[in-house]
Amino acid sequence: MMTNLFSSFDPLSSLANLPLNWASTALALLFMPYLYWAMPSRASLAWSSLTLTLHKELKILLGPANPGGTLVFVSLFSLIMFNNFLGLIPYIFTSTSHLVMTLSLALPLWLTSMVFGWLNHTKHMFAHLVPSGTPMPLTPLMVLIETVSNIIRPGTLAVRLAANMIAGHLLLTLLGNTGPAWSKTLLPILLFSQLLLLILESAVAIIQSYVFAALTTLYTSEVN
């Protein structure tokens, strides 16, 4: 019996007083297919096809001014997706369900793009605060609204990813804890619903990774 419903997101694992929870993030390096083999495997070919397709998609969003800038966002997508999938494995810490992880990814990228934009494209950044066609009396209000929307962007990115990962995990945990109270005739229904939720969570893991990378790319493209 869990004393706290959210304790499943913060397991106690340590070795010589050294917390090992966040060490699960490095496990992605073990699952990532390497490309130094003479004959690449199907996993390597599938991963190369995925990253190339994502590179083409993000290149359209980023624009022709930064042809190599998509490498950062493809790597960001890979990191988030691997951690999302690792969180679906039992007894592995889900780092992307914590704001410490998601905000650490969103805030530096947003801050560096804002600093670069205000230092190198000051007029463009000021013009972006007032959408075209705005009536003159509404200009101060639009500047305030655009400023607030720009400031809360890293928070919305971080909360969106963490909340989506928490919601599915909580639902799986709640259904799993009610298993002993179910009769034997209803247990197949519970297992089938858990399997459907697991498939849904796998789709959410990919979708949220793409949304995080795509929105970060869009925010970066606005400063160019």
Side-chain angles (χ1 to χ4, degrees):
M1 181 67 68
M2 290 190 304
T3 58
N4 184 5
L5 182 62
F6 291 91
S7 62
S8 60
F9 296 98
D10 192 17
L12 299 177
S13 58
S14 61
L15 180 64
N17 296 325
L18 179 66
L20 298 178
N21 290 348
W22 296 97
S24 62
T25 306
L27 292 176
L29 299 176
L30 301 178
F31 293 95
M32 189 174 298
Y34 299 102
L35 302 178
Y36 54 75
W37 301 104
M39 294 293 292
S41 62
R42 292 182 180 180
S44 299
L45 293 177
W47 180 248
S48 299
S49 177
L50 176 63
T51 53
L52 183 60
T53 304
L54 187 63
H55 166 72
K56 293 179 181 179
E57 291 286 337
L58 298 181
K59 187 178 180 180
I60 297 174
L61 298 177
L62 196 59
N66 298 306
T70 57
L71 295 176
V72 176
F73 304 107
V74 172
S75 303
L76 181 66
F77 169 82
S78 305
L79 175 65
I80 296 175
M81 188 184 69
F82 273 114
N83 280 279
N84 289 347
F85 273 108
L86 284 174
L88 298 177
I89 302 175
Y91 304 107
I92 292 185
F93 180 70
T94 311
S95 59
T96 49
S97 64
H98 290 250
L99 284 175
V100 175
M101 176 71 173
T102 56
L103 197 60
S104 299
L105 294 175
L107 187 59
L109 291 173
W110 171 83
L111 187 60
T112 51
S113 63
M114 286 294 103
V115 172
F116 175 82
W118 282 105
L119 291 179
N120 296 278
H121 307 287
T122 308
K123 293 182 179 180
H124 172 74
M125 297 298 291
F126 273 116
H128 187 69
L129 295 177
V130 183
S132 59
T134 303
M136 187 59 66
L138 294 179
T139 300
L141 181 61
M142 292 304 299
V143 170
L144 179 61
I145 293 174
E146 289 293 328
T147 302
V148 173
S149 65
N150 286 333
I151 292 175
I152 66 175
R153 280 178 176 179
T156 55
L157 280 175
V159 171
R160 180 187 294 109
L161 177 59
N164 278 280
M165 298 309 298
I166 286 177
H169 284 62
L170 279 180
L171 192 55
L172 288 170
T173 304
L174 286 173
L175 288 177
N177 290 337
T178 58
W182 288 47
S183 61
K184 294 182 179 180
T185 57
L186 296 178
L187 278 180
I189 300 177
L190 176 62
L191 294 176
F192 182 70
S193 61
Q194 289 277 69
L195 181 61
L196 290 180
L197 283 174
L198 191 61
I199 296 174
L200 178 62
E201 277 296 290
S202 301
V204 169
I206 301 175
I207 292 172
Q208 289 303 316
S209 305
Y210 176 77
V211 168
F212 195 98
L215 288 178
T216 310
T217 307
L218 283 174
Y219 296 157
T220 306
S221 65
E222 291 181 358
V223 304
N224 294 323

